[in-house]
């Protein structure tokens, strides 16, 4: 980690730099021998109601995406063997690439409960390490907004191209302008369908009530930066607010995140969703094929980023008006994809 660019933490609306005293580099392997030890969660049982009694003892089933099987198996099957030995259970795992249920059986209910809890803790740890595959988005790519965005890009390059780090490769793809509500790691078709179903349930439960079943009119105007030093900017975004001055969009976004976090499909990152649309991002500079996605910041990147001096841009374009947008859908967008319009491919929407 570059000591001059420590990670940032948001607390109470302020941004603080987190200076790390010491970092330990841990070897990264595809199949790490990670497991919950005997004292880690044996006293933290899962819901015992999921364990059923059979003629031979007790049994429970776990729906686990096939990409995560390897973390339960471990190197040469060591993690699975250790779990079975310490909980006195037998763990049956489908073949690699085959979607199905993991079945835990044992003579004692407590052993089955303990094995299930340890597997859930283990899977949660590895799921957090997976790159996100989907995100909830609100498209802002209407033609008029795209036109104004291209004008913004042209004027920035005309007036600020001599500022350190400013180049045309930093700008978002206009066809993919959007607001990100939250990111998700969906590892199989079942999880994608679960997310789609939940999105529809949210529409019925609160979205229509908040919006009155009508599109929300927002204004996209002004620019702001993510980090704490405008001279070393990584992400520049356009600000978005409701034209009528209400908080309805914020309420929809916050409640969507709350519902998806409660379902286990999304991790909670902030107390409130930060409504913004990325217009410039230094991640785009390093790799032209990199997803022009609205990074949520706060997560470290393995790429070395070259910041740009955004001071003049912030001063000259403080009130730049990108246009008005009628928000009429929330989409479950697929990362690293495009549809016929150039926007992200959609797995579901409300």
């Amino acid at each position: 980690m570059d000591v001059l660019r420590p990670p940032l933490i948001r607390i109470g609306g302020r941004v603080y730099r987190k200076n790390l005293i010491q970092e330990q580099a841990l070897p990264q392997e595809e199949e790490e021998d990670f497991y919950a030890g005997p004292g880690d969660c044996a006293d933290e049982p899962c819901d015992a109601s999921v364990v059923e009694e059979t003629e031979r003892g007790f049994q429970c089933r776990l729906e686990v995406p096939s990409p995560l099987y390897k973390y339960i198996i471990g190197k040469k099957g060591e993690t699975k063997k250790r779990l079975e030995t310490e909980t006195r259970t037998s763990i049956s795992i489908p073949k690699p690439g085959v979607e199905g249920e993991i079945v835990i059986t044992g003579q004692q209910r407590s052993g089955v409960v303990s094995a299930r809890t340890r597997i859930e803790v283990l899977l949660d740890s590895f799921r957090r390490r997976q790159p996100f595959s989907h995100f909830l988005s609100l498209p802002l790519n209407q033609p008029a907004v795209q036109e104004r965005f291209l004008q913004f890009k042209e004027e920035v390059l005309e007036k600020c191209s001599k500022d350190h780090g400013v180049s045309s490769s930093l700008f978002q793809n206009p066809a993919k302008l959007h607001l990100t509500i939250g990111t998700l790691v969906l590892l199989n078709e079942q999880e994608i369908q679960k997310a789609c179903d939940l999105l529809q349930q949210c529409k019925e439960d609160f979205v229509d009530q908040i919006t009155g079943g009508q599109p929300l009119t927002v204004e996209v105007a002004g620019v702001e930066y993510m980090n704490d030093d405008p001279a070393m900017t990584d992400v520049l975004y356009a600000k978005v607010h409701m034209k009528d001055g209400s908080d309805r969009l914020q309420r929809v976004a916050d409640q969507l995140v709350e519902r998806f976090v409660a379902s286990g499909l999304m991790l909670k990152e902030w107390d409130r969703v930060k409504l913004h649309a990325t217009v410039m991002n230094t991640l785009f500079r390093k790799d032209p094929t990199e997803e022009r996605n609205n990074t949520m910041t706060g997560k470290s990147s393995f790429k070395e980023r070259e910041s740009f001096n955004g001071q003049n841009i912030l001063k000259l374009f403080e009130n730049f008006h990108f246009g008005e947008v009628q928000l009429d859908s929330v989409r479950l967008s697929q990362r690293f994809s495009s549809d016929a319009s150039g926007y992200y491919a959609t797995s579901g929407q409300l």
Side-chain angles (χ1 to χ4, degrees):
M1 183 196 76
D2 187 347
V3 296
L4 297 178
R5 298 166 57 105
L8 305 177
I9 300 176
R10 295 178 180 273
I11 302 176
R14 290 180 173 270
V15 179
Y16 298 87
R17 299 188 183 198
K18 179 181 178 183
N19 296 312
L20 302 181
I21 298 176
Q22 182 178 4
E23 278 192 318
Q24 256 188 329
L26 300 177
Q28 296 291 323
E29 298 189 37
E30 188 178 28
E31 295 185 354
E32 294 182 342
D33 187 13
F34 175 91
Y35 76 104
D40 289 341
C41 55
D43 296 327
E44 186 184 341
C46 64
D47 184 356
S49 65
V50 300
V51 178
E52 58 181 352
E53 189 169 0
T54 67
E55 293 180 357
R56 298 184 179 181
F58 297 89
Q59 173 182 284
C60 76
R61 298 173 178 272
L62 267 173
E63 288 189 5
V64 177
S66 59
L68 297 181
Y69 293 166
K70 60 186 178 184
Y71 300 121
I72 303 171
I73 297 170
K75 294 179 185 177
K76 299 179 180 179
E78 291 179 2
T79 301
K80 176 175 176 288
K81 292 175 184 176
R82 192 172 289 140
L83 283 168
E84 291 176 323
T85 299
E86 293 178 354
T87 61
R88 297 181 180 181
T89 59
S90 175
I91 301 172
S92 175
I93 302 174
K95 293 180 180 180
V98 177
E99 297 297 338
E101 294 179 320
I102 290 178
V103 181
I104 306 168
T105 56
Q107 294 296 316
Q108 302 294 325
R109 178 187 292 269
S110 60
V112 174
V113 169
S114 178
R116 179 187 174 102
T117 304
R118 294 186 193 191
I119 289 174
E120 288 178 335
V121 171
L122 179 138
L123 293 178
D124 181 70
S125 171
F126 281 104
R127 182 181 282 276
R128 289 171 182 267
R129 302 186 193 184
Q130 306 299 315
F132 74 88
S133 59
H134 295 72
F135 57 101
L136 296 181
S137 74
L138 294 159
L140 299 176
N141 61 345
Q142 283 82 345
V145 176
Q146 290 194 50
E147 185 177 340
R148 287 290 291 168
F149 170 79
L150 290 173
Q151 182 180 340
F152 166 78
K153 177 180 178 179
E154 182 180 342
E155 292 184 16
V156 168
L157 293 176
E158 179 184 335
K159 300 175 182 179
C160 306
S161 60
K162 293 183 179 180
D163 294 346
H164 174 75
V166 175
S167 72
S168 61
S169 65
L170 299 180
F171 291 85
Q172 173 68 285
N173 178 345
K176 292 190 172 181
L177 288 167
H178 68 280
L179 300 176
T180 294
I181 294 177
T183 59
L184 306 95
V185 177
L186 305 177
L187 299 176
N188 59 18
E189 290 300 322
Q190 289 86 342
E191 291 192 340
I192 294 173
Q193 187 59 52
K194 181 180 177 182
C196 292
D197 293 343
L198 182 57
L199 199 54
Q200 290 302 316
Q201 190 62 49
C202 290
K203 173 179 171 64
E204 297 173 11
D205 289 350
F206 60 84
V207 173
D208 282 348
Q209 181 180 358
I210 294 174
T211 64
Q214 299 296 318
L216 298 178
T217 304
V218 299
E219 285 188 325
V220 186
V223 292
E224 190 55 90
Y225 62 105
M226 280 290 189
N227 55 310
D228 61 347
D229 184 354
M232 295 181 65
T233 299
D234 281 324
V235 177
L236 191 78
Y237 62 90
K239 295 183 284 187
V240 178
H241 62 271
M242 286 287 297
K243 188 176 181 181
D244 63 8
S246 72
D247 66 346
R248 289 186 295 160
L249 177 58
Q250 186 70 54
R251 286 164 56 200
V252 168
D254 289 342
Q255 289 188 40
L256 281 170
V257 168
E258 182 180 342
R259 186 66 65 86
F260 272 78
V261 168
S263 74
L265 291 172
M266 185 181 290
L267 297 176
K268 187 175 180 63
E269 296 185 87
W270 313 103
D271 291 334
R272 301 184 74 202
V273 176
K274 188 174 182 64
L275 296 170
H276 64 282
T278 295
V279 293
M280 298 175 71
N281 190 329
T282 55
L283 281 181
F284 302 163
R285 183 206 310 279
K286 303 305 290 185
D287 181 359
T289 65
E290 171 69 19
E291 180 82 3
R292 259 43 176 182
N293 190 33
N294 187 1
T295 54
M296 302 302 287
T297 74
K299 289 187 175 180
S300 61
S301 170
F302 293 104
K303 294 184 178 181
E304 182 180 351
R305 302 174 71 165
E306 179 192 352
S307 298
F308 66 93
N309 187 341
Q311 290 175 305
N312 284 332
I313 299 175
L314 289 163
K315 185 183 302 182
L316 294 172
F317 300 92
E318 179 182 6
N319 298 311
F320 187 89
H321 191 262
F322 292 91
E324 291 185 8
V325 179
Q326 298 283 321
L327 298 178
D328 57 5
S329 67
V330 178
R331 303 190 187 183
L332 179 62
S333 297
Q334 187 178 331
R335 196 181 185 191
F336 303 125
S337 68
S338 297
D339 62 16
S341 72
Y343 194 68
Y344 302 94
T346 300
S347 299
Q349 69 180 64
L350 62 78

